[in-house]
Amino acid sequence: MEPDSGTTNIRNVRSKHWTRWLDPANRCVVPFNSFSEFNKAEGGDVWFALDESRPLACFGGIWANWTSVRKVKEGETTNDLYAFLTTEPNTEVRAIHPKAMPVILTTPHSHSLMRDARHRHVGTRAEPICSIPNARRQCNEPASRR
C-alpha cells in the first residue's frame, strides 16, 4: 500500500468527497499564530500573522478518524487527522497566493458558527462564516521556527 500524504487544506467543501465530514461532529478549530504561503518568485515561504505580536487565533477545520498507511514502516494505522478550510484571499495574501487563504475565525460568533448544525456548508465562498482579518505579511518566519 502506498503512503497517504494526507490533505492540509480544503478548498472546495462542495465536492462530494468532503460531504460526509461537514456535520458539526467533524468540525474543528485549528490554533495558529502565523501561517505561510509558498511563492517561488518571493524565494519560498512568505509568512503572515494577524499583527506583529502574532496573537493566537484559529482556522476553521474538519477532522476525521482515518485509517491509512502514513509511514510504510508503520503499516496501516488509524489516526485523528484534520485539514483547515480555505476561502478567497484578502488583498495582502492574494499578492502572494491568489487562489485561497485559510478561513480565520476571529470572533466568538465565528467559532459558534463552526459548531452550528444549521450552517451546513461551513467555509464555502458563498457563506460568510468568518471575518477575514487583514493578515499582514511578516518579514521573518515565526519565532517558533527561528
Side-chain angles (χ1 to χ4, degrees):
M1 186 176 233
E2 290 293 316
D4 177 359
S5 61
T7 299
T8 58
N9 60 65
I10 302 167
R11 288 194 183 149
N12 181 10
V13 294
R14 293 185 183 180
S15 162
K16 288 184 180 183
H17 176 78
W18 299 112
T19 303
R20 61 183 157 169
W21 295 298
L22 294 180
D23 292 330
N26 289 96
R27 298 178 195 171
C28 66
V29 295
V30 182
F32 78 99
N33 62 8
S34 43
F35 67 95
S36 68
E37 296 290 357
F38 182 80
N39 184 287
K40 188 174 182 179
E42 293 282 333
D45 288 333
V46 176
W47 289 90
F48 298 89
L50 300 185
D51 65 36
E52 291 295 324
S53 70
R54 294 186 173 108
L56 184 62
C58 292
F59 298 145
I62 301 292
W63 79 275
N65 192 259
W66 189 256
T67 301
S68 67
V69 174
R70 305 286 292 167
K71 297 176 182 176
V72 174
K73 68 180 182 180
E74 292 178 6
E76 190 173 272
T77 61
T78 299
N79 303 283
D80 290 336
L81 305 177
Y82 71 90
F84 55 85
L85 303 169
T86 62
T87 190
E88 294 291 331
N90 66 14
T91 303
E92 187 77 15
V93 175
R94 184 178 293 114
I96 301 302
H97 191 269
K99 292 182 180 180
M101 71 177 276
V103 169
I104 299 173
L105 308 174
T106 59
T107 66
H109 179 68
S110 62
H111 285 253
S112 294
L113 287 175
M114 277 298 294
R115 296 185 304 271
D116 191 332
R118 293 172 295 177
H119 294 275
R120 179 75 178 133
H121 296 293
V122 298
T124 65
R125 293 176 180 171
E127 183 170 345
I129 188 173
C130 65
S131 60
I132 300 172
N134 188 16
R136 294 176 180 89
R137 184 173 175 173
Q138 301 295 304
C139 295
N140 301 309
E141 57 187 292
S144 62
R145 298 213 21 204
R146 288 186 193 147

